[in-house]
Amino acid sequence: MAAGAAGAAPGVAVPVELRRERHLVCVEYPGVVRDVAKMLCTLGGEEGVSRIYADPTKRLELYFRPQDPYCHPVCANRFGTSSLLLRVRRRAGRPGAAFHMEVLGIISTIYKFQGMSDFQYLAVHTEPGGRHRSMYDKVLLLQPEKEGFFHQELPLYIPPPIFSRLDTPVDYFYRPETQHREGYNNPPVAGENLIGLSRARRPHNAIFVNFEDDEVPAQPLEAAVQTWRRVCTNPLDQRVEEELRKLFDTRPIWSRNAVKANLSIHPDKLKVLLPFVAYYMITGPWRSLWIRYGYDPRKHPDAKVYQVLDFRIRCGMKYGYAPSDMPVKAKRSTYNYSLPITVKKASSQPVTVHDLKQGLGPSGTAGARKSASSKYKLKDSVYIFREGALPPYRQMFYQLCDLNVEELQRIIHRNDGAESACTERDGWCLPKTSDDLRDAMSLMIRQAIRSKRPALFSSPTKADGGKEQLTSESGEEEEDEEEEDFKPSDGSENEMETEILDYV
């Protein structure tokens, strides 16, 4: 395994056996290592390093004070490499010193600490006389304590969760203030709290209508027409426009997700096309929906089937499963906040007006045209509810006509021919129709989850009491039972606000 180089002339190659079966990971430690065990402890030990190595998206964290829970780490980036770890020994003290060389293994991965050390925040209080007093024994709960421990008088200590979003220096490209340039005019946007706008938002010229408005628009704004005509420059765009008009001829009211599931069109082009053929309802039973110009659903009882239902999957101990047990993901989460310990993927390039005109992709090839026919289409599960199938998200906006279950349709059509007035809460339906629909859908969701994860319902009490619990909920909750999340409501503004911001 080793080759001696004793007596070898200078400049002469020495053969060394290569150990191909041993692969190593290199860490360029930013410090002088005198104790390997202590050094490894600052990296989380062998278990911590192995866990980070197993996930290529993670960065290796170094804690200079591993026993301090408030220590802010320094992060290392992961790189691939083709290197060798070579051990060279020299026997000194003898005439004609001999060198012994050995290849210990191949290094394929290396971690380099390229970032800057962030601020450190110590649990220390500075007293009036300038004396520093440690607070670790006061703020750290190391063992069960009596009630007095939690009522002791202490200085306020709230460490910040993070100081900097980045740990590498960046060039901010400082430029002079745009409003100080000659000929600059402030953007035509009103608001007392307007801060830092260098240009006005590019409007998409959508028309927003409230339920209380007297009339609905009969045609789009001239700016919306001009914008679409400027972008619509190829036959594919003209064909998509015709297909969208056919959709609104067949059905006067659509959600944006339903349109995406029936048309293959880039989302940025859809932002321009929808205001060209429909207006947007903000409040009432058709909120967050696009309605064909000239059609007023408040005057047509048959528009009942196009009303929106805000449905949220119910989670909690009373339903037999917690949010973490749900086989359905949430649309948004505050836990998606990206910290510097995670490697970020390259973001997609923004779409320009030139891209919109050119068809948003490689043009001129039959393959490109063929792939574009279904490239941007969504699955119909994003707007259609079926019994036995779980929704793609925990919160869904369904139109009543897209609830493809006979039992649900019977609830919707209970007052067919007897619609007397259109109200903002229930539209043309009977009062509490939405509550009845949510109760029935929740029972179907529970049965679907039971079939997918029977272990969650192994308890006899959960299995026997499930139906009674769900069918008896029409908005009245018991005081002693706690619901954890996703409580049904009359309507959520989150998705609607997101869509409005796309069109203002």
Side-chain angles (χ1 to χ4, degrees):
M1 299 300 294
V12 177
V14 179
V16 179
E17 184 177 350
L18 178 61
R19 302 180 63 175
R20 297 179 180 272
E21 75 281 358
R22 176 176 290 184
H23 291 268
L24 306 175
V25 176
C26 176
V27 177
E28 292 186 354
Y29 195 83
V32 179
V33 179
R34 294 190 177 95
D35 189 326
V36 176
K38 291 183 178 180
M39 179 274 297
L40 197 57
C41 183
T42 62
L43 298 176
E46 292 185 8
E47 181 182 354
V49 176
S50 301
R51 183 175 63 254
I52 296 298
Y53 175 74
D55 188 351
T57 65
K58 295 293 185 180
R59 304 172 74 193
L60 184 63
E61 300 175 57
L62 166 61
Y63 292 87
F64 288 108
R65 306 184 310 281
Q67 304 302 326
D68 184 358
Y70 300 109
C71 178
H72 200 61
V74 182
C75 297
N77 297 316
R78 175 173 175 162
F79 299 94
T81 184
S82 298
S83 306
L84 301 176
L85 180 59
L86 185 65
R87 174 187 290 169
V88 181
R89 292 178 178 177
R90 176 179 179 270
R91 290 185 178 180
R94 296 181 182 179
F99 288 89
H100 292 272
M101 290 176 290
E102 179 184 1
V103 176
L104 300 182
I106 300 174
I107 301 175
S108 57
T109 302
I110 184 172
Y111 286 93
K112 298 182 179 181
F113 290 88
Q114 300 175 317
M116 299 181 297
S117 296
D118 207 339
F119 295 94
Q120 299 294 325
Y121 202 79
L122 303 178
V124 174
H125 175 64
T126 303
E127 296 180 347
R131 181 173 176 269
H132 301 289
R133 180 167 60 91
S134 174
M135 297 175 56
Y136 285 96
D137 58 336
K138 304 295 183 182
V139 298
L140 294 182
L141 188 64
L142 302 178
Q143 60 184 3
E145 299 285 353
K146 296 182 179 180
E147 185 179 358
F149 177 85
F150 302 97
H151 293 285
Q152 57 183 333
E153 292 292 334
L154 289 177
L156 183 63
Y157 176 71
I158 305 177
I162 188 173
F163 289 96
S164 175
R165 288 286 294 112
L166 302 173
D167 61 355
T168 54
V170 295
D171 192 342
Y172 284 95
F173 297 104
Y174 291 107
R175 295 172 296 178
E177 293 288 346
T178 55
Q179 60 265 32
H180 295 162
R181 295 176 182 173
E182 184 179 355
Y184 175 81
N185 295 320
N186 288 324
V189 179
E192 297 179 357
N193 299 322
L194 188 63
I195 300 176
L197 269 185
S198 59
R199 65 167 179 84
R201 287 181 62 97
R202 295 190 181 98
H204 293 92
N205 307 299
I207 300 179
F208 301 102
V209 175
N210 289 298
F211 183 81
E212 301 84 2
D213 294 345
D214 296 332
E215 300 293 335
V216 299
Q219 57 186 7
L221 298 175
E222 182 61 26
V225 177
Q226 297 299 329
T227 302
W228 174 247
R229 294 307 181 200
R230 186 172 66 254
V231 172
C232 177
T233 57
N234 58 65
L236 284 177
D237 297 333
Q238 298 173 3
R239 187 176 64 185
V240 169
E241 178 188 340
E242 295 175 0
E243 293 176 356
L244 183 60
R245 290 190 180 279
K246 290 179 181 179
L247 289 179
F248 277 97
D249 289 340
T250 305
R251 173 168 146 184
I253 304 175
W254 289 85
S255 67
R256 185 165 66 166
N257 277 346
V259 172
K260 289 182 178 180
N262 286 272
L263 289 181
S264 178
I265 179 174
H266 192 280
D268 290 306
K269 277 198 172 182
L270 186 61
K271 291 180 183 179
V272 181
L273 178 57
L274 271 175
F276 179 62
V277 298
Y279 65 91
Y280 190 82
M281 183 72 79
I282 298 178
T283 59
W286 297 277
R287 62 186 176 276
S288 75
L289 300 179
W290 291 89
I291 305 175
R292 186 182 65 210
Y293 282 116
Y295 183 82
D296 190 347
R298 300 168 299 181
K299 300 179 180 179
H300 300 275
D302 54 354
K304 171 175 62 177
V305 296
Y306 306 125
Q307 294 177 195
V308 71
L309 174 69
D310 177 9
F311 175 73
R312 310 182 191 187
I313 299 179
R314 299 170 179 175
C315 305
M317 298 306 296
K318 63 187 296 184
Y319 308 115
Y321 47 86
S324 58
D325 299 324
M326 282 294 301
V328 182
K329 62 182 180 179
K331 285 183 180 178
R332 302 174 180 88
S333 175
T334 56
Y335 299 105
N336 289 336
Y337 184 70
S338 180
L339 296 176
I341 60 174
T342 305
V343 177
K344 304 175 185 62
K345 296 182 179 179
S347 59
S348 58
Q349 295 296 325
V351 179
T352 63
V353 175
H354 178 74
D355 296 329
L356 292 175
K357 291 183 177 180
Q358 296 301 320
L360 295 152
S363 57
T365 62
R369 289 192 296 269
K370 183 177 181 180
S371 62
S373 61
S374 59
K375 180 178 180 181
Y376 302 109
K377 264 192 177 182
L378 301 180
K379 296 181 179 179
D380 58 3
S381 60
V382 299
Y383 77 102
I384 295 179
F385 179 83
R386 296 183 176 89
E387 187 173 7
L390 291 175
Y393 301 104
R394 298 184 187 181
Q395 179 184 10
M396 298 293 297
F397 291 86
Y398 292 110
Q399 289 182 258
L400 301 187
C401 59
D402 294 324
L403 303 178
N404 287 0
V405 181
E406 184 177 352
E407 176 185 351
L408 302 179
Q409 291 300 320
R410 284 199 297 268
I411 297 175
I412 297 170
H413 294 281
R414 287 179 298 188
N415 65 331
D416 279 2
E419 298 91 344
S420 57
C422 180
T423 63
E424 183 173 357
R425 186 185 189 279
D426 300 298
W428 294 104
C429 295
L430 291 175
K432 293 189 178 296
T433 296
S434 297
D435 297 332
D436 296 338
L437 290 173
R438 293 189 185 107
D439 290 340
M441 294 168 67
S442 295
L443 180 59
M444 298 175 189
I445 293 295
R446 180 183 174 86
Q447 294 172 346
I449 295 177
R450 182 198 300 266
S451 63
K452 292 181 179 294
R453 294 191 176 181
L456 296 177
F457 301 88
S458 57
S459 173
T461 55
K462 293 180 182 179
D464 296 338
K467 184 172 182 178
E468 289 77 5
Q469 287 177 349
L470 285 174
T471 54
S472 64
E473 292 161 5
S474 58
E476 298 179 2
E477 303 291 341
E478 299 181 10
E479 293 293 335
D480 58 342
E481 294 185 353
E482 180 180 357
E483 185 173 351
E484 296 186 15
D485 226 338
F486 306 104
K487 180 180 179 181
S489 68
D490 294 338
S492 171
E493 306 298 330
N494 292 341
E495 185 166 306
M496 185 176 70
E497 288 179 357
T498 302
E499 191 164 356
I500 289 177
L501 288 176
D502 285 340
Y503 291 90
V504 295

